[in-house]
Amino acid sequence: MLMMLLCITASASGSKVGKNMKHRMNAVVREFRKCDGIEVIKIGSLPIALARSVASLSGDLDSDDLAALSLIDGVKGLLVMEYDECTPSLKTRINSRIAKVLKGTELLMSAKDDEDNVSIHGAVSTDGDYLDDVIIFTGEELICIYGRIAMKDISAVVASEL
C-alpha cells in the first residue's frame, strides 16, 4: 500500500533533495545516536549490494521477488533511527532538528492514523523516472533510504501486490 501511494503521489516533478540534506540528516543522527533510548542502524552500499547479490543467487525467486530486487538496485544506503523509548524532552529536540532539516524538501505523502503521523519526503527526478533519497519520518522513527529508485520498479512492485 505504501509503495502504491508513493507511486501515485510522486508523479509530479519537484526539487532535488540533494547531498546537503543527506549530510544534514546524518549529522542529526550522529548528534543523538549515543543518547539513552535511541537505536541506530546504518547500512552502506556494500552490504546492500552483497544482500542483493546473495538474494539473486537463490533459485527460488518468483516474479514478485525479482521485482523487489529491482526496486533496491539504486539504493546506496539505509539509515534508521528509532527513538520511541527516549525521554519526551529528547524526543521533542530530535523532532525539531529533523523537521528543520526536512524544511524545504518535497513532501510526497503525509498520513495520520489515530495518534501516529507519517510523512514521506523525497525528490522526483525532472524526467519523472526516478525517486531520489526517500525520508520517512514518524516522530519516533526516522528512515532514510539514500539512492535512486526507478518509478517503473515501484510500479512493478505495486502491481505484484494488487
Side-chain angles (χ1 to χ4, degrees):
M1 180 68 171
L2 175 63
M3 287 302 182
M4 183 169 45
L5 290 172
L6 269 176
C7 189
I8 292 168
T9 57
S11 60
S13 178
S15 63
K16 198 98 169 115
V17 174
K19 290 183 180 180
N20 186 36
M21 187 281 314
K22 179 180 175 181
H23 174 73
R24 291 173 54 213
M25 196 61 76
N26 286 344
V28 170
V29 172
R30 277 193 308 277
E31 178 182 344
F32 295 106
R33 76 178 309 140
K34 294 185 180 178
C35 296
D36 290 336
I38 297 180
E39 293 182 40
V40 174
I41 298 170
K42 187 173 184 179
I43 303 172
S45 59
L46 181 60
I48 289 172
L50 288 172
R52 189 172 33 242
S53 295
V54 168
S56 65
L57 292 175
S58 171
D60 306 1
L61 299 177
D62 61 15
S63 61
D64 292 347
D65 296 331
L66 293 172
L69 278 175
S70 292
L71 186 68
I72 63 170
D73 271 346
V75 175
K76 303 295 182 206
L78 179 67
L79 176 65
V80 178
M81 179 170 70
E82 188 175 283
Y83 53 100
D84 57 333
E85 295 182 15
C86 68
T87 64
S89 63
L90 181 58
K91 193 180 295 183
T92 299
R93 283 182 36 221
I94 293 169
N95 288 338
S96 174
R97 292 272 286 123
I98 292 171
K100 190 174 182 180
V101 172
L102 290 175
K103 188 174 183 171
T105 64
E106 185 176 355
L107 177 64
L108 301 175
M109 187 183 84
S110 180
K112 184 173 180 160
D113 181 25
D114 297 327
E115 295 179 18
D116 296 328
N117 291 314
V118 177
S119 63
I120 300 175
H121 300 257
V124 178
S125 64
T126 53
D127 60 8
D129 290 341
Y130 297 96
L131 184 59
D132 296 315
D133 295 337
V134 177
I135 309 296
I136 303 168
F137 175 49
T138 69
E140 294 185 336
E141 192 170 51
L142 173 71
I143 302 168
C144 305
I145 305 168
Y146 297 128
R148 179 167 259 209
I149 301 169
M151 291 294 203
K152 66 179 175 72
D153 294 333
I154 294 173
S155 296
V157 170
V158 169
S160 72
E161 295 295 320
L162 296 178

